[in-house]
Amino acid sequence: MIPFLDLHQVNERFRPDMDAAVKRVLDSGWYLLGEECAAFEREFAAFCGTRHAIGCANGLDALKLIIQAYGIGPGDEVIAPANTYIASLIAISANGATPVLVEPDPATCLIDPAQVETHVTPRTKAIMAVHLYGRVADMDAIRAIAARHGLLVIEDAAQAHGAGIGGRRVGSLGDAAGFSFYPGKNLGCLGDGGAVTTDDDALAEKIRALRNYGSDVKYHFPYRGTNSRLDEVQAAWLRVKLPHLDADNARRAEIAARYGREIVHPAVSLPLPADAGARPLSNVWHVYPVRTARRDDLRRHLDACGVQTVIHYPIPPHRQPAYAEWSGLSLPVTEAIHDTVLSLPMSPVLDDDQVGAVIEAVNSWPG
Ligand SMILES: *Cc1c(COP(=O)(O)O)cnc(C)c1O
């Protein structure tokens, strides 16, 4: 079986450094908000090109903390792409604000600036741009709309660590960004983890307090915060992996380029190629999503060929019981994506033979 993502193999490459990192934490006797978290925050901020990175417990919290820190709440609207992973939207509604869903650009599956512009109301406070599948959203256009209407731009960069455009990385392309270090993400830890990046000193200071019960100085609470900290073991582990992220993303790009060249099937459409000249990569290929009208049949065929696939995602947020208030919405572009999308194996540890076998399996689908 060619696994969709062999996490054991991904992490095993770093075993000796990881063992040393865990030993460092054990020897220190300090487990939360210590040297490792502070060092990772410095290193991740430098990597993203921002003044600040603030570690937190997971990607959802990173986004929730940004929205809370900006004071976005009941009566406020945040525009977000309708085809995102539901966590982007939960981060908004958990603060009492209203997510306003907009259809994505069908070519890229990313937030469509033209749709954003027509959904701005007097209640709109922010635009959430999601770099879905590892592809960078059109941030120049989004920032221009935000500037025209006085809105904040929040990046959901949970799937796009290391991606960038015009020499700048995601995390530095809006007012603030949320990252996830969930094990399967391009930069994943050994459990849950997340971070906020921003150039805004006041926002960073507030989020540092909010993640620790709202405390700025011990036992002094200017805010009603939460407990959302990146623990020392996770931070130490992320410090081991961060220096390898660009190489891992380059390998993903190599695999995607080969899929793009060699998968040839009249019933299967491939994602747009990355912006080839972009350094860092304009698409870090968190997943490689192909589309076909007979998705479930292709999936069965690939399974029979020993190729594991995943659907990102089978049901759009507006069709989920959790958001019953959206059940009347008609979002045909989003619905078509969810009905047709299928992610092929993608990870930095796939070897050339495995990539070849995936290509052969897709091309041999009777379709
Ligand atoms: C993974 C993910 C999140 C949430 O991250 P967690 O660490 O799982 O909380 C948010 N948005 C997107 C687009 C994601 O893929």
Side-chain angles (χ1 to χ4, degrees), residues 55-58 61-62 65 210-213 226-230:
C56 61
N58 54 66
D61 279 0
L65 287 166
L210 286 174
R211 72 167 172 188
N212 193 27
Y213 300 111
T226 188
N227 176 351
S228 183
R229 302 177 293 223
L230 181 68

Side-chain angles (χ1 to χ4, degrees), residues 58-60 63 84-85 87-88 130 156 158-159 180 182 185 193 313:
N58 54 66
L60 171 63
L63 296 167
T84 187
Y85 180 57
S88 322
V130 184
D156 180 343
Q159 299 189 358
S180 163
Y182 177 82
K185 301 292 163 83
Y313 300 93

Side-chain angles (χ1 to χ4, degrees), residues 31-348:
Y31 310 110
L32 285 167
L33 300 184
E35 297 285 321
E36 297 291 339
C37 181
F40 174 70
E41 289 176 342
R42 281 193 302 274
E43 290 159 10
F44 194 61
F47 177 83
C48 294
T50 55
R51 289 169 58 81
H52 306 280
I54 306 105
C56 61
N58 54 66
L60 171 63
D61 279 0
L63 296 167
K64 267 166 71 174
L65 287 166
I66 292 167
I67 292 167
Q68 183 184 355
Y70 276 130
I72 298 171
D76 297 332
E77 295 175 353
V78 178
I79 297 174
N83 63 318
T84 187
Y85 180 57
I86 199 165
S88 322
L89 309 175
I90 291 175
I92 300 165
S93 55
N95 278 292
T98 304
V100 173
L101 304 181
V102 294
E103 289 271 55
D105 177 334
T108 61
C109 300
L110 298 178
I111 192 163
D112 181 348
Q115 289 288 322
V116 171
E117 185 90 64
T118 60
H119 285 77
V120 174
T121 76
R123 292 168 181 266
T124 310
K125 291 290 185 297
I127 303 166
M128 186 178 292
V130 184
H131 306 300
L132 196 70
Y133 306 143
R135 181 183 294 275
V136 184
D138 184 352
M139 296 304 289
D140 287 344
I142 295 294
R143 270 198 311 267
I145 295 166
R148 267 202 295 287
H149 299 278
L151 308 176
L152 294 162
V153 176
I154 300 168
E155 293 175 86
D156 180 343
Q159 299 189 358
H161 323 66
I165 200 83
R168 292 179 64 190
R169 293 194 197 260
V170 303
S172 73
L173 304 175
D175 293 291
F179 286 87
S180 163
F181 307 121
Y182 177 82
K185 301 292 163 83
N186 290 32
L187 180 63
C189 56
L190 292 186
D192 277 314
V196 173
T197 55
T198 185
D199 282 331
D200 181 334
D201 297 345
L203 185 83
E205 196 177 329
K206 190 166 180 186
I207 290 176
R208 268 181 212 291
L210 286 174
R211 72 167 172 188
N212 193 27
Y213 300 111
S215 167
D216 53 355
V217 181
K218 197 163 191 180
Y219 301 136
H220 180 250
F221 301 91
Y223 314 110
R224 294 181 198 180
T226 188
N227 176 351
S228 183
R229 302 177 293 223
L230 181 68
D231 71 65
E232 290 288 283
V233 173
Q234 299 305 336
W237 175 228
L238 289 165
R239 293 183 67 201
V240 169
K241 282 180 86 174
L242 180 59
H244 302 277
L245 178 59
D246 279 335
D248 275 6
N249 284 339
R251 174 62 185 154
R252 287 171 182 271
E254 225 171 69
I255 294 166
R258 204 172 149 205
Y259 282 161
R261 279 193 309 271
E262 297 180 34
I263 294 176
V264 181
H265 195 295
V268 177
S269 56
L270 306 182
L272 289 180
D275 184 344
R279 292 288 179 275
L281 300 169
S282 67
N283 186 345
V284 293
W285 301 101
H286 174 56
V287 296
Y288 189 88
V290 302
R291 292 178 64 179
T292 179
R294 296 180 49 241
R295 185 255 316 275
D296 295 343
D297 193 65
L298 174 59
R299 192 165 196 220
R300 267 191 302 275
H301 169 79
L302 292 177
D303 189 63
C305 296
V307 174
Q308 196 181 30
T309 57
V310 176
I311 299 172
H312 295 99
Y313 300 93
I315 305 169
H318 71 284
R319 290 282 179 262
Q320 299 285 356
Y323 286 103
E325 67 267 39
W326 293 335
S327 60
L329 289 181
S330 168
L331 297 163
V333 177
T334 294
E335 287 153 27
I337 291 169
H338 288 74
D339 285 344
T340 58
V341 79
L342 186 67
S343 299
L344 302 183
M346 172 56 80
S347 85

Side-chain angles (χ1 to χ4, degrees), residues 1-6 9-10 13 251 254-255 259 344-356 358:
M1 193 72 178
I2 297 172
F4 176 73
L5 169 62
D6 184 340
Q9 205 187 336
V10 166
R13 301 175 296 162
R251 174 62 185 154
E254 225 171 69
I255 294 166
Y259 282 161
L344 302 183
M346 172 56 80
S347 85
V349 297
L350 280 182
D351 67 31
D352 291 343
D353 290 345
Q354 291 175 310
V355 175
V358 172

